[in-house]
Each structure stands twice: as C-alpha cells, then as structure tokens.
Amino acid sequence: QYDRVCCMVSQYTGRPLPALGPTPLLTPSLELDMTPFSRKFEQEDVGNCPTDHMVPLPFMPENSHFPANPLILEEEKSVALQLAVSSMDELVKMAHTGEPLWVRSTDTAKLFLNLEEYNRMFSWSGNLKQNAAEFRIEATKDTAVVIMNSITLVDAFLDANKWMELFPSIISRAKTLQVVHSEVSGHASGSLHLMYAELQVLSPLVATREAHFFRYCQHNAEEGTWAIVDFPLDEFQNNFPLSFPYYKRRPSGCVIQDMPNGYSRVTWIEHSEVEDAPLNPVFAGLVSSGASFGARRWLAVLQRQCERLASLMARNISDLGVIPSPEARKSLMNLAQRMIRTFCLNISTCYGQSWTALSDSADDTVRITTRKVTEPGQPNGLILSAVSTTWLPHNHNQIFDFLRDEKRRAQLEVLSNGNSLHEVAHIANGSHPGNCISLLRINVASNSSQSLELVLQESCSDESGSMVVYATIDVDAIQMAMNGEDPSCIPLLPLGFVIHPMNHHHQSSKESKDDEDGIIKTEIDAEPGSLLTVGIQVLASTIPSAKLNLSSVTAVNHHLRNITQQIGALLGSS
C-alpha cells in the first residue's frame, strides 16, 4: 500500500518518496533466496564494500541527457533538406537494385553490400572509401511482409516513443531533438527530424551504438510507397559529440509498399560505419556478421511486434479464460510489454551502465552490476543484476521450447525450488505458437508459509532469436491491472533468457581423395548451435544506499552458473 501511495504522489509532485526502512520482523542473514519467486534478499545489512562502482540506472532517460535547444539553425535547414533529398534517392535506388550491388551470402542467404559497386554507383560516397581502413562497413538488406499498414508504420517511425515500443529489444532510448521541417498541411511526407538513438544487443558483453542523425520521410503517390531514410550529420557534426565506440548511420531505412488487407511489404536497409571496439569472443561472430544490428534482425522484430500490436487491438476475443474483459486483457499485455522493456534495459550496456567481470579469463562471461532504484515501476532499493552467456550445441527453437514450457522448466531445481507452475491465463500474440503471454500460479507446498503469488511470463521468437521473460507479481497487483487501474505503479523485477542462433565454426583437416598428391585440405565446419544469455535480478536491500558484500556476489555468481549448467545437462539428456 505504501508503494502505491508513493507512486501516486511522485506522479503528481515529480519527487519520489523514500522507501520504507528495514522491517524489524526480518533477521539479518547471509543466506540469499535465489528463487524467481522471491524479490529480495533476506538481509538488510549487506556488508561494508565501497559503493564507488555502483552506477544508478534510471528506467527512462533523463531529459538533461538530450540537447534542450534546437541545434539546426534557420539558415542551415536548406542544406539539411538538400542532404535529405540526396540520401532518399540513394536509399530508394539501393532498395530497388539487386546484383551486383547486393551479393547474397552462400551460408546465411543474407544480402551484403558490394562496396566497389556502391562506390561506382554513388559518386558522392567517396569518403566511405577513405574511411574504409579506419572503420568497418556494415551494410545489409532484407524484405518482409508485416501486418500493419504504411500510414501506421510511418506514424510510428516519426514518433520516438512509438518507435521504441516497436523495437524494445533493439532501441534502448530514442528522442526527437528537433523537427527541422514539416509540411504546412501536417502531412508526414516531407518531414525532416533531428533524432538521437541508442541501439543495443541484449548482453553486457556488447557495447551499445549511439548516434545523432536526420530522419526524412517521403510519399510516392504514383507507386503507392512510403520511404523513411536516416542519414548522418556530416555537415553539422561539430555541433554533436562523437559516439564511443564510433558509429555513424549512413543512408539507412525502409521502403514501405501497401498491400491488401492492411499488410505492408517492407524493404529494409542498414548501412553504417562502425569502429571495432574490443569485443568478447563469444559475440564476435554475431556482431561481425551483421546479425546483431543488421536488416534481418530489424525486420524480424518488426514482424513480431506488428503481430503483437494486432493482438493488442483485437476486440473479438471469444475465450478470455480468467481475464474478465478485453480491457483487462489489454492492460495485462501492456504490463508484459513493460516487463520485457525493463528486462532488455537491465541486461545491456545502455545508459552508460557499467558491468564488472568476476574473473580475468576471457572465457568467463559472467558480469554483475548494481542499481539504486527510487522510481516507480521497479522495487525500490539496491538491485543486483547478473548476466552470463554460453554457447550450446542446440537449435535456438529447441532451447526456446524448453524454457517457455513451465512444466519442463520446473525440472530446473535452481529455478523451481520444488514448486510447480500452473497456467491460469493465456494470451496468444503472434502466429508462432511460442509468442504468447501467460499468467502462472505458483503451486507451493501445503505446509509452506509463502503467500499466494503469480508469475507473469512473456515468450517471443522470430528469425533473429528468442526470449523468455518472467516476473513474480502478487494477486492484488494483477487484480488492480485487470480492473483498469494504472499498472505503471506495479513493481516488476524480471529475469529471463535470450537465445541467439549462432553456429560454432571450427577447423577440421580432411584428406582429399580426389587429389593425386594426397594433399591435406583444411576446411571450416559449422556446428549448429545457439548463444544462451541468462539474466537474473534480485533486490539486495530495500535501502538504496546499502552496500553490497562479497558473499552476495559469490552467491549470485554460483546461482547463475548452476542455471546454465542444468539447462545444458537437461537439453543434452533430451
């Protein structure tokens, strides 16, 4: 009740109220409760370690991070519009051109840019050739059909908040800094926005990519298409800080063709200059191949999120189960969306969040961090997060099916703690059977003193990877959400799994029988597999200023390794 009052007061006053102090009913202990059904450690005095390394992570970006005043002057706008037109021409031409500009990879079937042909076609791209030795070029293209019309898509791309909602696993933060140009009629065509965005991979082992860029929109009535192009601030770069590691969005974006029944065919192009910052070997192949930030990932997430939005807006749902109304269903879906976004933010390097390695070994992927949380939406106090990534010799769909099934996941002793789960509500939000939201009841032992709690779970899968995220939530909070009350006050501390398809490449020596000289040829074999990232969060203390001790870190590290080992063992045995 106190948390709910704090939330309401802070919404009206803009100032958070202090959290409740330690309750005298809890005895200090170094035994950490690591089950997903517990949201705090049973300890209030968590040691005497210094807190210098602790970095507060706000749930949403602070406005002070972004420039407050318009950065493109009136006399500069004509230059920006000229650049917009030339960049749009480049994007449309690249979207409509096939080989030899685009070359298809033989092993992944992805389309990659032929840089020599690109430099020949676009004479103004000379600086790309000059920077080739210093920076790496990433350029990919893909096409897909999505269940959303072009007008709705364009509206989402021109609204930074809607854009983030469409891509919660890719965009950690975005903001429109200035509307440089808009048509008098208010029509989207011809709009030119100055924007900022931070892009992420769901792991602390990969640095985020930050960029300031222009976004220009154009409608071609004759062809029935819309095009959105992002292009760099080359002529205005002195006004903006360079990102680290270096990242520049060259003309990138999408061409949207309306189709019958409210669908759209989207051709997506991602083209950028990037600096190869030091990268953990686990993710090196995924990032260098373009899979982490490439066109295929953007389109795969867009397809899935458009299906989710179609489910969110559906009104003719016949079987709601225990969900009392379509409005309650929508509220539960919005709560799950916030849970997904919170999880994505809290396991990446966004907002400048720093992570600590527990070992000097390059093979050790465990990273930990702490956050002091005083804002509504998450439990207030000191939160300890731990993430690790492991390569497993299993197809990502196989791992996904195992982790999203609450009955099979109960085999993981380190997660279930002897309790089983029973699904009481189910919301399908995509064509893939695994894309759904579940409300699960925790079946505790009859002699347990644990109060009745529920688990909110969302699982989603697409061509770029899969994710299973869940959080413990009490019955009163679910009832509040279903009754139409504002669910933003409900504290969520999600944990979950992210699965990236990634084959493991290794050398093998084979003797060629066709060669008369019997020469030994070295071949590169690809073993099918996936990267599994496990992210857990625990409330270390209800006091945000508390300090973390070594025993807490050791316990979390041990728990994380046990989860990964048990998953590998159970998948291997099946």
Side-chain angles (χ1 to χ4, degrees):
Q1 292 295 324
Y2 182 80
D3 286 343
R4 290 175 64 184
V5 171
C6 287
C7 179
M8 287 186 287
V9 171
S10 65
Q11 284 180 338
Y12 282 103
T13 65
R15 297 190 305 273
L17 286 178
L20 280 172
T23 167
L25 299 178
L26 295 177
T27 56
S29 169
L30 291 180
E31 295 298 322
L32 310 183
D33 188 352
M34 291 295 182
T35 70
F37 316 131
S38 175
R39 288 194 293 266
K40 71 178 295 299
F41 287 172
E42 292 294 312
Q43 65 180 90
E44 302 300 342
D45 178 14
V46 286
N48 299 308
C49 292
T51 58
D52 297 343
H53 66 283
M54 297 182 185
V55 181
L57 176 66
F59 177 64
M60 293 297 289
E62 297 176 355
N63 292 330
S64 59
H65 177 87
F66 303 104
N69 299 316
L71 296 173
I72 305 301
L73 302 178
E74 195 65 36
E75 58 268 23
E76 297 174 322
K77 290 183 179 181
S78 60
V79 176
L81 282 169
Q82 291 173 15
L83 290 171
V85 172
S86 62
S87 297
M88 179 62 74
D89 290 343
E90 178 177 326
L91 178 84
V92 171
K93 193 170 183 179
M94 291 176 75
H96 291 160
T97 305
E99 293 184 354
L101 180 64
W102 295 99
V103 181
R104 193 172 294 278
S105 167
T106 54
D107 54 342
T108 64
K110 294 178 183 176
L111 288 172
F112 292 93
L113 187 66
N114 180 339
L115 290 180
E116 289 186 7
E117 184 66 18
Y118 173 81
N119 288 325
R120 187 189 67 79
M121 288 180 63
F122 304 105
S123 57
W124 57 84
S125 61
N127 64 330
L128 187 64
K129 207 169 187 177
Q130 298 169 11
N131 295 341
E134 189 176 356
F135 304 115
R136 183 167 56 85
I137 306 302
E138 282 187 11
T140 54
K141 171 184 169 182
D142 206 358
T143 301
V145 175
V146 302
I147 183 171
M148 184 178 285
N149 64 55
S150 60
I151 299 296
T152 308
L153 280 172
V154 169
D155 177 64
F157 287 132
L158 294 179
D159 184 314
N161 290 327
K162 292 179 181 178
W163 188 44
M164 283 193 294
E165 287 297 309
L166 265 185
F167 301 96
S169 58
I170 300 179
I171 305 171
S172 55
R173 51 181 165 170
K175 188 176 180 67
T176 301
L177 300 177
Q178 180 185 1
V179 177
V180 179
H181 178 76
S182 62
E183 295 298 322
V184 178
S185 62
H187 198 267
S189 185
S191 296
L192 178 62
H193 292 184
L194 173 63
M195 300 189 71
Y196 163 87
E198 181 182 38
L199 311 180
Q200 64 186 354
V201 170
L202 301 183
S203 168
L205 300 179
V206 183
T208 57
R209 295 180 175 180
E210 296 181 73
H212 291 84
F213 56 92
F214 288 112
R215 173 164 291 179
Y216 181 60
C217 173
Q218 188 177 74
H219 180 225
N220 188 323
E222 292 182 5
E223 297 181 0
T225 61
W226 287 85
I228 304 283
V229 64
D230 298 342
F231 61 98
L233 310 176
D234 287 339
E235 304 296 325
F236 311 94
Q237 193 61 62
N238 292 337
N239 296 337
F240 304 91
L242 289 174
S243 59
F244 180 80
Y246 176 84
Y247 170 65
K248 177 195 283 190
R249 283 183 74 73
R250 297 195 63 82
S252 305
C254 59
V255 177
I256 307 165
Q257 175 78 57
D258 262 328
M259 297 179 66
N261 304 321
Y263 285 72
S264 299
R265 180 182 298 278
V266 182
T267 299
W268 197 287
I269 291 173
E270 276 297 307
H271 187 187
S272 58
E273 291 178 36
V274 296
E275 178 185 8
D276 277 325
L279 190 63
N280 190 285
V282 172
F283 276 94
L286 205 67
V287 174
S288 61
S289 68
S292 296
F293 296 97
R296 181 164 291 188
R297 183 186 177 207
W298 281 93
L299 269 186
V301 174
L302 178 64
Q303 279 183 300
R304 175 169 53 77
Q305 285 295 106
C306 285
E307 289 185 352
R308 192 187 193 282
L309 278 171
S311 175
L312 179 69
M313 300 316 229
R315 307 293 298 173
N316 56 345
I317 307 297
S318 55
D319 183 18
L320 290 171
V322 300
I323 304 174
S325 67
E327 290 73 23
R329 178 182 182 273
K330 187 174 182 178
S331 180
L332 198 60
M333 289 187 71
N334 286 332
L335 186 63
Q337 172 82 347
R338 178 161 69 84
M339 176 182 71
I340 288 280
R341 175 157 172 76
T342 302
F343 176 75
C344 292
L345 291 179
N346 290 348
I347 67 167
S348 79
T349 57
C350 65
Y351 297 89
Q353 175 76 313
S354 63
W355 294 78
T356 302
L358 299 183
S359 165
D360 293 333
S361 171
D363 297 329
D364 185 8
T365 65
V366 176
R367 299 291 185 271
I368 66 162
T369 191
T370 55
R371 300 192 319 280
K372 301 174 183 178
V373 177
T374 56
E375 298 83 12
Q378 297 182 79
N380 283 192
L382 181 69
I383 293 177
L384 172 62
S385 300
V387 183
S388 74
T389 299
T390 307
W391 185 85
L392 296 175
H394 302 283
N395 179 277
H396 96 273
N397 289 316
Q398 181 186 358
I399 302 174
F400 175 65
D401 289 339
F402 172 77
L403 292 174
R404 74 182 178 88
D405 187 332
E406 71 277 2
K407 294 183 176 63
R408 296 178 66 189
R409 199 172 65 220
Q411 300 174 46
L412 295 170
E413 295 178 2
V414 292
L415 287 180
S416 64
N417 198 32
N419 298 322
S420 62
L421 297 171
H422 175 70
E423 187 178 68
V424 296
H426 182 94
I427 300 174
N429 57 15
S431 55
H432 191 293
N435 290 352
C436 61
I437 297 167
S438 300
L439 197 58
L440 309 166
R441 185 182 69 236
I442 303 171
N443 297 321
V444 298
S446 57
N447 60 349
S448 172
S449 60
Q450 185 176 334
S451 59
L452 177 62
E453 285 192 304
L454 302 169
V455 171
L456 179 64
Q457 173 179 301
E458 178 159 0
S459 56
C460 51
S461 185
D462 56 53
E463 192 178 352
S464 68
S466 308
M467 187 160 41
V468 180
V469 181
Y470 53 99
T472 308
I473 189 167
D474 59 51
V475 177
D476 290 341
I478 285 290
Q479 198 68 46
M480 182 180 79
M482 289 188 178
N483 288 339
E485 296 182 48
D486 181 11
S488 63
C489 297
I490 298 174
L492 296 174
L493 193 60
L495 63 156
F497 310 92
V498 181
I499 311 148
H500 294 101
M502 196 189 83
N503 294 340
H504 185 63
H505 294 84
H506 55 85
Q507 291 186 349
S508 64
S509 297
K510 296 180 181 178
E511 185 173 337
S512 173
K513 296 181 180 179
D514 298 330
D515 197 319
E516 296 179 357
D517 298 325
I519 296 176
I520 303 296
K521 294 182 178 180
T522 300
E523 298 180 0
I524 303 296
D525 290 342
E527 182 182 359
S530 306
L531 286 180
L532 172 66
T533 297
V534 183
I536 61 175
Q537 300 183 93
V538 284
L539 182 61
S541 172
T542 55
I543 307 171
S545 58
K547 298 176 183 179
L548 198 64
N549 63 20
L550 185 59
S551 63
S552 303
V553 174
T554 303
V556 169
N557 182 31
H558 179 70
H559 184 66
L560 197 60
R561 293 180 189 277
N562 280 347
I563 293 174
T564 305
Q565 289 170 2
Q566 285 195 18
I567 290 173
L570 288 168
L571 284 169
S573 63
S574 62

